[in-house]
Amino acid sequence: MLAATLLSHLAVAEAAQTGLGKVAVAEAGISEALTPETKAGATEKRPNIVFILADDHRWDYLSAMGHPFIETPNIDRIAEEGVLFENAFVTSSLCSPSRASFLTGQYPQQHGVQNNFTPWNNSNVTYFEYLKQAGYNTAFIGKWHMPGAIPKLRGVDQFITFDHMGGQGAYYNTPYIINGKKLKVGETPVAGAQVNGYITDDLTNFTLKYIEDNSDKPFAVYLSHKAVHLSMQPDEEAAGRYRTEEVTLPREADSWLSFADGNFKHFLWAPLEKKVRDYAETAVAMDQQIGLVMDKLDELGLADNTLLVYAADNGYMWGEHRLIDKRWSYEESIRVPFVVRYPKAIKQPGTRSQEMVLNLDLAPTILQTAGIPVPGHMQGTSLLPLLQGEQQQHRDAWLYKYFEDFPYPVPEQTALRTKRYKLIDYKRGKQDELFDLQADPREQKNLIADPALADTYERLQTQLEAMRESISQPLSVSPIAVKH
Amino acid sequence: MTWFVKMIDPRWRFSIGVLLLAVLVSLIYGESWRFDLPLALRNASGLVLFSCIMFGAGVAYAGARLNGAMPWQATKIALLLPVIWHLKEIWLVIEIYGVGPGIYAGLQGFYPFYYGLIFVVMGVAHLACELYRKVTDSGGPALWCCGGYFFLPLLVVAGLEALGLLLLGTDAFFFEGYLAGYRALFM
């Protein structure tokens, strides 16, 4: 098996080096990657894959993370029955680049979706292509939100999405699109699945129906919610649930911050405490729907053989550093929930991992779990060994990059995040920053000019430059690909 | 204070007063967290600051009119703070994206609505002044007729926005049209 895996990576690398396009590389990789057993169909059914992606859900707005009032029993249940990665990050804290990274396993410097203007290049290879060739039934359901036209996504059988409001969708009455066909408001893209108007419920209904219809085959579904993105609108049941909860803002924030210095461009337009409550209520409404997906897996007896992952495309700043929104390299912006349940592999349910995992790791994790070797062009690393408890260490450092995104006054920035330090290199408009995250987890004290850390700064700077260089190199077989 | 009163043209006093107040509360609002001043005070300073930005033109307009300015003069005087705030906003974008996109960002997007609202605020102040003059019989011909002009900019901008949504299904200013314009001009 290992030999076959290595051979497949070499095939991918060779194809890449001889100038074949990404698609050709993928095809070569897939055909070589499938071992005789997997091609013939293993005696045991391949695991199902359910990936649920939220929008703008920061890592600590979970009851499992000790939030003072939010209640997320279903996401907590995934954590109790699986692994909660407390240090999960995205490599670019903006919807489009982060989403492309989840799908491709690549940094934005490679897949090319760098901000909300740079379009998705459909020669990018997603993990769906590998799953499809391995015999999976596949569906993408929900928010696509990448610039450019909605593509014909290779490897996806059922592509339900929307382009309403520039791809953002609305919480109520979003018209859906299925496999390129635009539907009217209220029209369902899936026969037998109800459209009740609230987008989180609708997307869940489509997913439930998909799971029901495909329960006898291995399937992979990507459920991409609009929640909890602006306008942070909960359903009727959750609305007002936290009306009386006291919201404690960060020390540097105040109630009117959503109007200050360009923050008003984020459309919050209300006292911050009010929007925090809306955000929490919207998350609760989504959590309730996630519970329905889990119930469906239980009902159909699929839970044990299903890899279930919940994550978000980026975090959200609620006044930290006197900032709203994401984009910045600060923890609240780049850190996301990342919870995985896979009863077959996880020997210690309820584990809380402190390892640094990235959105790039999703695609390799899915492929490895499905028994498909991870191709060389994926820059993430499979989490399966961590889930199985076979490996304790994952990565020591990684690179964050934010590309400017008009009209938001956020400078381009590159950051190196290690377990202890964060170095942020701003292109302009702001002094570079160095934080000791152990001593100063809220990143309040910039140590860039601290003579005591001069050597550390130099070492981190060198490491940042080296990583900046390496992740942008044309792809061939990387050390990641031959690790397992 | 006496110096201020003597040196400044009476028609400009309210406008400059609003500007100075905004600068002062801006400092308190932006920096007071460093000194752990109470949240209530910081919130109050924020409320005053954003009220100056949104409604200060009305106070400045009324102040100018009651000190002898004609509507056109009073309008110019009242726009002092909004224009300075607007230039600051443009500068924030120029710092990151350069002059062209900065100017575009200042002309498009939220700002046409902002000026539309500012004119509505001045229109309300104008009507209040006319009512005051009528009630107090403080002389001069009544200028009710020009009150309507103040409401035109917002009507035009909101009308264009509504037209875009109705005909094209997309907004002209706030989001999609704004970004589409940027793409067309700068990408």
Side-chain angles (χ1 to χ4, degrees):
Chain A
M1 178 69 180
L2 180 64
T5 306
L6 289 170
L7 278 173
S8 77
H9 292 314
L10 288 172
V12 174
E14 192 180 357
Q17 283 165 353
T18 52
L20 292 176
K22 283 183 177 175
V23 178
V25 171
E27 284 168 356
I30 294 163
S31 60
E32 289 291 328
L34 297 177
T35 60
E37 313 93 80
T38 56
K39 273 180 177 168
T43 48
E44 200 172 352
K45 189 187 159 198
R46 287 178 188 271
N48 305 303
I49 315 287
V50 177
F51 174 54
I52 304 175
L53 182 68
D55 197 321
D56 287 359
H57 190 188
R58 62 187 257 177
W59 95 101
D60 56 349
Y61 271 60
L62 294 175
S63 39
M65 289 302 298
H67 189 273
F69 60 80
I70 197 169
E71 298 147 293
T72 51
N74 295 296
I75 300 171
D76 295 355
R77 188 185 146 203
I78 306 176
E80 284 157 16
E81 297 172 2
V83 175
L84 170 62
F85 291 96
E86 293 193 356
N87 286 294
F89 302 93
V90 293
T91 53
S92 192
S93 179
L94 189 63
C95 295
S96 301
S98 178
R99 284 159 192 274
S101 290
F102 274 114
L103 283 163
T104 61
Q106 294 181 325
Y107 280 95
Q109 292 87 329
Q110 291 290 346
H111 61 58
V113 183
Q114 301 185 336
N115 57 27
N116 287 337
F117 290 99
T118 46
W120 165 263
N121 179 346
N122 211 31
S123 69
N124 279 321
V125 178
T126 71
Y127 69 76
F128 279 114
E129 289 190 57
Y130 294 91
L131 294 176
K132 189 69 213 163
Q133 293 220 12
Y136 273 79
N137 285 357
T138 55
F140 183 108
I141 297 172
K143 190 172 180 176
W144 170 253
H145 193 224
M146 279 188 242
I150 291 172
K152 288 183 177 168
L153 206 55
R154 290 185 308 280
V156 175
D157 301 324
Q158 196 175 83
F159 187 8
I160 300 171
T161 186
F162 41 83
D163 61 2
H164 187 55
M165 295 180 73
Q168 288 288 0
Y171 277 98
Y172 282 95
N173 299 323
T174 290
Y176 298 107
I177 298 171
I178 176 161
N179 294 339
K181 186 187 172 196
K182 292 192 178 196
L183 306 177
K184 292 177 187 151
V185 173
E187 199 177 343
T188 183
V190 182
Q194 198 190 343
V195 170
N196 75 11
Y198 186 64
I199 194 164
T200 309
D201 298 2
D202 289 347
L203 298 176
T204 303
N205 288 342
F206 307 152
T207 303
L208 297 178
K209 189 72 174 70
Y210 184 83
I211 293 173
E212 267 177 20
D213 292 347
N214 291 275
S215 59
D216 57 337
K217 311 165 198 105
F219 64 82
V221 61
Y222 185 117
L223 168 55
S224 177
H225 281 299
K226 173 182 172 59
V228 294
H229 190 278
L230 278 167
S231 53
M232 298 165 187
Q233 198 175 346
D235 65 2
E236 286 172 13
E237 197 181 324
R241 187 183 185 107
Y242 298 131
R243 196 173 37 231
T244 57
E245 290 292 343
E246 191 178 336
V247 174
T248 306
L249 297 176
R251 171 180 169 251
E252 61 271 33
D254 61 78
S255 305
W256 301 110
L257 204 55
S258 53
F259 295 96
D261 284 339
N263 285 344
F264 69 90
K265 290 178 184 169
H266 299 303
F267 293 95
L268 287 173
W269 300 359
L272 218 51
E273 294 90 337
K274 157 86 170 66
K275 291 314 292 182
V276 169
R277 291 188 193 99
D278 289 348
Y279 179 81
E281 289 167 2
T282 309
V284 165
M286 180 181 64
D287 178 83
Q288 191 258 340
Q289 294 295 308
I290 290 170
L292 297 183
V293 174
M294 297 176 76
D295 291 347
K296 180 60 72 181
L297 293 173
D298 289 340
E299 178 194 318
L300 297 172
L302 300 173
D304 279 351
N305 194 35
T306 299
L307 172 74
L308 172 63
V309 183
Y310 173 77
D313 63 349
N314 47 253
Y316 202 83
M317 304 179 74
W318 281 114
E320 292 84 4
H321 304 269
R322 291 186 68 73
L323 295 167
I324 307 288
D325 201 45
K326 51 260 185 176
R327 303 167 194 276
W328 295 84
S329 311
Y330 300 123
E331 292 291 282
E332 297 81 6
S333 161
I334 66 175
R335 209 161 155 189
V336 294
F338 201 108
V339 202
V340 183
R341 186 183 75 172
Y342 183 40
K344 272 196 170 172
I346 296 171
K347 296 188 179 70
Q348 287 188 304
T351 300
R352 286 173 176 244
S353 172
Q354 301 306 311
E355 288 304 300
M356 293 195 294
V357 304
L358 302 176
N359 51 352
L360 314 174
D361 298 336
L362 177 83
T365 304
I366 286 176
L367 294 188
Q368 198 186 11
T369 305
I372 301 167
V374 180
H377 62 81
M378 287 190 176
Q379 296 174 297
T381 306
S382 171
L383 302 174
L384 193 61
L386 277 180
L387 297 172
Q388 291 169 322
E390 290 173 358
Q391 187 180 304
Q392 302 306 319
Q393 303 286 318
H394 193 59
R395 62 168 56 80
D396 295 324
W398 58 277
L399 200 74
Y400 176 83
K401 174 87 179 182
Y402 172 77
F403 297 87
E404 285 159 2
D405 185 49
F406 180 87
Y408 303 98
V410 182
E412 184 173 316
Q413 52 201 275
T414 310
L416 180 77
R417 171 67 156 86
T418 70
K419 287 181 176 174
R420 177 158 183 189
Y421 293 105
K422 186 187 289 173
L423 174 63
I424 310 174
D425 174 23
Y426 293 99
K427 187 177 173 188
R428 54 188 153 193
K430 199 169 186 332
Q431 189 193 18
D432 291 351
E433 292 176 301
L434 172 64
F435 298 108
D436 179 345
L437 298 167
Q438 280 177 13
D440 176 25
R442 291 196 62 241
E443 301 165 291
Q444 299 291 305
K445 192 176 177 192
N446 184 6
L447 303 170
I448 200 89
D450 186 341
L453 286 173
D455 289 346
T456 304
Y457 169 60
E458 201 170 318
R459 178 174 53 77
L460 292 171
Q461 185 69 42
T462 306
Q463 195 176 357
L464 183 147
E465 292 303 335
M467 286 193 84
R468 181 157 30 200
E469 182 72 19
S470 72
I471 64 169
S472 305
Q473 290 297 313
L475 290 168
S476 59
V477 172
S478 68
I480 293 167
V482 290
K483 243 182 213 172
H484 46 87
Chain B
M1 190 66 182
T2 315
W3 175 87
F4 180 78
V5 172
K6 277 186 185 167
M7 288 296 292
I8 307 295
D9 182 327
R11 291 171 298 182
W12 281 87
R13 277 178 198 154
F14 279 83
S15 182
I16 291 174
V18 168
L19 175 64
L20 291 176
L21 177 65
V23 170
L24 178 69
V25 289
S26 174
L27 288 171
I28 297 169
Y29 179 68
E31 302 301 321
S32 57
W33 67 271
R34 295 180 198 281
F35 309 103
D36 283 325
L37 293 185
L39 181 62
L41 175 73
R42 289 155 51 204
N43 279 342
S45 64
L47 193 60
V48 175
L49 173 62
F50 299 119
S51 298
C52 285
I53 293 168
M54 285 309 301
F55 306 113
V59 175
Y61 181 90
R65 286 298 315 279
L66 296 176
N67 282 291
M70 293 300 285
W72 172 238
Q73 281 179 307
T75 302
K76 284 193 292 182
I77 290 167
L79 283 172
L80 178 67
L81 174 59
V83 168
I84 288 174
W85 176 77
H86 186 201
L87 290 174
K88 185 218 67 167
E89 289 290 310
I90 292 175
W91 177 248
L92 281 177
V93 183
I94 285 176
E95 273 187 310
I96 308 275
Y97 300 97
V99 175
I103 291 170
Y104 172 76
L107 296 177
Q108 236 284 30
F110 296 89
Y111 304 102
F113 282 92
Y114 172 67
Y115 279 106
L117 286 169
I118 291 299
F119 272 84
V120 167
V121 167
M122 287 193 285
V124 171
H126 174 82
L127 296 176
C129 287
E130 293 307 310
L131 186 66
Y132 174 79
R133 285 153 63 95
K134 186 176 169 64
V135 168
T136 58
D137 200 18
S138 50
L143 293 168
W144 293 102
C145 55
C146 71
Y149 293 116
F150 288 102
F151 298 90
L152 268 180
L154 187 62
L155 279 174
V156 169
V157 175
L160 285 172
E161 185 81 346
L163 204 63
L165 283 168
L166 278 174
L167 296 181
L168 306 171
T170 183
D171 73 298
F173 296 107
F174 266 130
F175 188 62
E176 289 175 69
Y178 180 40
L179 297 182
Y182 175 76
R183 277 192 201 99
L185 288 170
F186 302 106
M187 293 186 76

